[in-house]
Each structure stands twice: as structure tokens, then as C-alpha cells.
Amino acid sequence: MSVRDPGLFTPASVTWQAHGDPMMWVAGIRALYLQALHPRAVRAVVENSDFREDAWGRLRRTADFVGTTTYGTTEAAERAGARVRRIHDTLRATDPDTGRTYRIDEPELLLWVHCAEIESYVHVLCRSGYPLSDALADRYVAEHRESARLVGLDPAGVPGSRAELAAYFASVRPSLAAGADAREIDDFLRRPGVHPLLLPARALLWPHVARLAYAALPPWAHALYGRPAPPPATVTRRLRLTGAALRTVPARVRWQLPPKHILRATARLGPGSRPDPRRLEP
């Protein structure tokens, strides 16, 4: 494989540009809140994850997977996908209603996790002021049929536009609930365990991120959790202010944070490959 291989998502993709935005972190936390509302999906997390003891390690591994599949070579992205599929193939969970054991890589569960993630990414980016037109937002959703393939889904059955995402959520909403597992995730996201040396940073930064991510959920999700959120206009204003503030930090400073996928990609492909929303076609 050539060292100049641009990977599955090339610099011409919406994904390549958008995933360099700092609001992706807020979007990722929103996705966790949303994913926890599927009883069988969240049970799989609770029974098979060490999120309570290794919260930051889990977040880093998720960020590493997204970074590798976005900015890595084709070979690296395919290896990352194969690794996820191998892990999922070995894991089982217990249905909270029937007590039956089920595979955590059932297509229904993989599709829920995928859609909650992609909808959260595009929602937070757009609502926080990232320059995505309607057409570009639909391109972004369509591009992620490729990431769905990596985790084991048939891309033909995965929503390829925001309208298809909305139709999917409308169809699955009757099966969603905020049970005991979802509330455990909610409690955890509000007060994640950290190393004692990081407690000041958690106290200073995390409450704002967690509250904003929760507030950005759709109203029906707030109703399921039973916790109110500010009015939508207030949430949008806060998302825009947070996005504007984070985007003032120079990109090369932000990209120095591990795991440095963007810096490695630009070293591989040249400075013209640097993510920049101004490169997005209208």
C-alpha cells in the first residue's frame, strides 16, 4: 500500500474536513447519551465494557477508531474495522426483558449505534455553526455507509441522508427507554471517574461539555431521561458560542493532542490535505 494512500475518506470528502472540528467531542458525548436509550444496546455496553474503571481509555479508543478510519490509510482503516468485528463476534449480553443471551453484533444493534453516532455528529456540527449546507450534510451521512460497512453492516440498509436518518429514528422510537442501564450511563457521564490529578480539570471543563451534549439531544430523548433541558434557542446559542470559542484555538495546537491522526495524514499526503471547512464545496 502506497504511503500516499488517502484512505477510505479522502481529503475530498466532507468527513475529512468535518472530523477536524473540535465540536466533534461534544457530538461524541451526545451520541453516548442517545445510544444508551436502546435497552439491548446499552445492556451490551454495561455487561461487556470497563467504562466505569477506564472511562478515558474507552473514549480514547473510540476517538482512535474514528481518527484511524477517517485519516488513516485504507489498510489501517480496514484493520481497525476487522479488529472491531472480531471483538464483537466474541461478546454476548443478556436481554433485560427476556433474560435470553444475544450477540452484540446483531445488525439491529449495530445500526442503532451507527445512526445515533452519525446523527449526533452532523447535528452538533450544523447547530454549532460549522458550515455544512443541506447538501453537504447529506453527503456526510452517505459517506458513513462506509464506516457502517467497517463494523459489519450492509451499506445498502444504512440511512444515506438526513431524511432517511429521521425516518429511521421515527421507526425505532417506540422501542427506546431510559431504564436502569441508561440511567447508569447518564450518572456516569455527569460524573465520570478520573485519576485524582485530573479532578480539577473534570470540575472545570466536564460539567459544561456534559450539560451541553445532553441539552443538544432531541426533546423526546429529554422526555425519556426525565431531565429537562434549556429552550432549544438557548441550546443553539450555547453550541454556537462553544464552537466559536473552540475554533479560535489554532488547528495545529488542537491536532497535537493524541493520537495525532490528522498530523500523520498531512505528513503523508502533504499540506494541501489539512482539514479546512473552507475547502468544502457548497
Side-chain angles (χ1 to χ4, degrees), residues 233-258:
T234 300
V235 177
T236 299
R237 182 171 67 253
R238 291 176 182 174
L239 285 166
R240 286 183 171 271
L241 287 172
T242 302
L246 291 176
R247 291 165 190 143
T248 64
V249 179
R252 286 198 64 84
V253 173
R254 291 189 275 108
W255 297 341
Q256 289 292 337
L257 295 173

Side-chain angles (χ1 to χ4, degrees), residues 192-204:
V194 297
H195 189 279
L197 293 177
L198 296 177
L199 286 173
R202 184 186 72 174
L204 179 65

